[in-house]
Amino acid sequence: MPAWTATLTWKAAVFITVMCCALAALLGALVHVSVSRQTVESAREKALDRLEEVTAAYEAGEPLPRFAGVDPPGLPPSLRDLATGGRRGTVVADYEDRPTMWAAGPADGRALAVRVDYSLSARTISGLDQAIVGSSVLAIGATLLVGSFAVTRVTRRLHLTAQVARRISAGDLDARVHDPRTKDPSRPQDEVATVSVALDTMASSLQDKLLSEQRFTADVAHELRTPLTGLSAAAELLPPGRPAELVRDRVRAMRALTEDLLEISRLDARTEQVDLDVHDLGPLAERAARAARASGGASDGDTRVRVVRDARVETDKRRLERVLGNLVANAHKHGRPPVTLTVDGPVVTVRDHGPGYPPYLLEHGPQRFRTESGTKGHGLGLTIAVGQAAAIGAELAFANAPDGGAEARLTLPEYVDLTDDPDRDTSRGEKM
């Protein structure tokens, strides 16, 4: 069924229509039966009164009026049989194409009958039925309009609440419903207002907790910077030897962790300024791969760059290189070579041939300070990659390749220059 049939407005409209139709049918049937019974009883009494008068005239030997007769033509057979059987009765039947009320009684073994014009009563009942149908249609239409208006007001508030909830889940912690019915404490609140208040309260509490955590992370990182700078300078003064190398290595790791924490704090606070420009994606990918090789210690043969189809993208070069560098470094750290970085239009894929991403990462995304491999790491590289990708308007998705290995897919907004030659060949070969 179409998706709109699942909406609350549609269900309410169907419910109101069905209930109005059922109520109109019930009331219409009751009115029809009551009026029809009264009309028939009135015509029947009139016909029986005339039958008594005609019977008296017949017994007195007086001439019968034109609306009466013995075994008159057109008398319904069922009524004739009733009268010849010694009983009186009435029946409504057509006579000369007009509805007629017949009354008949016994008369010397035959049927003495009178007829009364029933056309007016029949028209009254027919008009009543038409009035019932017309008024029911109008009542159903008016009720449906009023009900739809009332339900739409409720659903509009529900849609607003749902939109605010989606904005909050997307990271907009300042989003609030601010239902006008919640501004006056003395005003009774309906269920929608109660849900709106609960959502606003939850969003405020969540925002306070997240801001507190962000401030704590930023403060810790800032406080660590100063002693780490002094420790780094002191480590450089140590005499050459294995102990000095171990100290310098740990200091570098601590400084890198501190910088990562500061970067995550800025991404969480959404204070980063993006410098967008148009770049060719292929050279940026090659440069990011070279930087990852230099910083990670991987050999040139361990990282391959394939440009299937180059594309121009509108992005922040520094942040894009940061994302690609983290993906390549993560592939070398937690996967197995060769690591392939493929550019196919505005899509960049980084794949290794290791055990693949753990299930929790595929289901929930990267989590800070959580890794399930035996290698070193803090789980911040992919977290930063996701944050920086979101900052430049790109989409980063994680999956495991069917034939093994982890695969990260980065989709960037492609830049289309209408002055470019559409026949220009942008494909390039594979670079090792």
Side-chain angles (χ1 to χ4, degrees), residues 79-429:
L79 187 58
R80 186 189 305 273
D81 295 339
L82 184 68
T84 55
R87 292 182 295 173
R88 295 196 306 172
T90 59
V91 70
V92 178
D94 287 340
Y95 178 74
E96 295 181 353
D97 296 331
R98 300 185 64 177
T100 302
M101 172 67 76
W102 290 90
D108 299 331
R110 293 183 299 176
L112 177 63
V114 298
R115 62 180 183 272
V116 177
D117 187 11
Y118 195 71
S119 300
L120 180 61
S121 299
R123 285 195 297 268
T124 300
I125 296 175
S126 177
L128 175 65
D129 292 341
Q130 294 177 0
I132 290 175
V133 173
S135 60
S136 298
V137 171
L138 292 177
I140 291 172
T143 305
L144 188 59
L145 288 176
V146 174
S148 298
F149 174 75
V151 172
T152 302
R153 294 187 63 185
V154 175
T155 56
R156 188 183 300 116
R157 294 165 59 199
L158 289 175
H159 283 309
L160 176 60
T161 304
Q163 290 175 0
V164 172
R166 283 192 290 267
R167 288 171 56 190
I168 293 173
S169 64
D172 185 5
L173 299 181
D174 294 324
R176 298 292 185 274
V177 180
H178 294 306
D179 194 309
R181 289 167 178 75
T182 63
K183 295 181 180 180
D184 187 3
S186 62
R187 183 177 181 180
Q189 296 183 3
D190 57 8
E191 289 79 0
V192 180
T194 302
V195 173
S196 301
V197 171
L199 180 62
D200 288 347
T201 303
M202 181 196 69
S204 299
S205 176
L206 179 63
Q207 185 179 33
D208 292 340
K209 291 181 180 179
L210 289 178
L211 290 177
S212 177
E213 292 179 2
Q214 291 171 9
R215 285 193 297 267
F216 175 77
T217 303
D219 291 344
V220 169
H222 278 291
E223 291 298 326
L224 286 175
R225 255 184 168 182
T226 301
L228 283 176
T229 302
L231 186 60
S232 177
E236 296 298 329
L237 300 178
L238 293 176
R242 181 60 179 168
E245 290 297 328
L246 291 176
V247 171
R248 295 189 188 102
D249 179 69
R250 292 299 87 198
V251 169
R252 283 194 295 268
M254 284 291 295
R255 294 190 65 177
L257 176 59
T258 302
E259 295 299 326
D260 287 346
L261 289 175
L262 286 172
E263 185 172 358
I264 289 177
S265 177
R266 289 191 297 267
L267 290 172
D268 288 342
R270 300 180 183 273
T271 58
E272 296 280 48
Q273 299 295 325
V274 181
D275 183 17
L276 296 178
D277 202 353
V278 180
H279 303 278
D280 290 329
L281 187 55
L284 289 181
E286 295 170 359
R287 193 163 121 182
R290 286 195 299 268
R293 294 187 197 117
S295 61
S299 63
D300 289 348
D302 290 341
T303 305
R304 296 186 300 175
V305 179
R306 296 178 59 246
V307 182
V308 178
R309 180 176 66 87
D310 203 353
R312 304 188 72 193
V313 294
E314 187 175 11
T315 187
D316 186 321
K317 180 175 67 173
R318 180 181 65 84
R319 298 182 188 280
L320 176 59
E321 291 178 353
R322 174 70 161 156
V323 173
L324 296 179
N326 281 14
L327 294 177
V328 173
N330 182 81
H332 281 294
K333 184 178 296 184
H334 300 284
R336 286 196 296 267
V339 175
T340 305
L341 194 153
T342 305
V343 177
D344 188 359
V347 179
V348 183
T349 304
V350 179
R351 182 195 169 180
D352 62 53
H353 292 77
Y357 291 117
Y360 82 87
L361 190 146
L362 297 176
E363 184 176 358
H364 303 290
Q367 298 181 18
R368 305 169 190 179
F369 299 103
R370 179 175 180 180
T371 59
E372 293 189 358
S373 63
T375 57
K376 299 178 181 179
H378 303 286
L380 300 180
L382 293 183
T383 303
I384 293 174
V386 171
Q388 293 290 9
I392 61 178
E395 180 182 355
L396 180 57
F398 301 97
N400 288 331
D403 55 345
E407 185 177 85
R409 183 183 181 90
L410 180 68
T411 304
L412 295 149
E414 186 172 8
Y415 175 79
V416 179
D417 189 353
L418 298 179
T419 61
D420 284 349
D421 182 6
D423 297 330
R424 180 171 62 92
D425 184 13
T426 59
S427 63
R428 303 178 61 179

Side-chain angles (χ1 to χ4, degrees), residues 2-37:
W4 55 267
T5 58
T7 61
L8 183 60
T9 303
W10 162 254
K11 293 180 180 178
V14 171
F15 176 77
I16 292 173
T17 303
V18 171
M19 294 302 297
C20 286
C21 290
L23 183 60
L26 177 62
L27 294 178
L30 292 176
V31 173
H32 172 82
V33 170
S34 177
V35 174
S36 298
R37 181 184 293 113

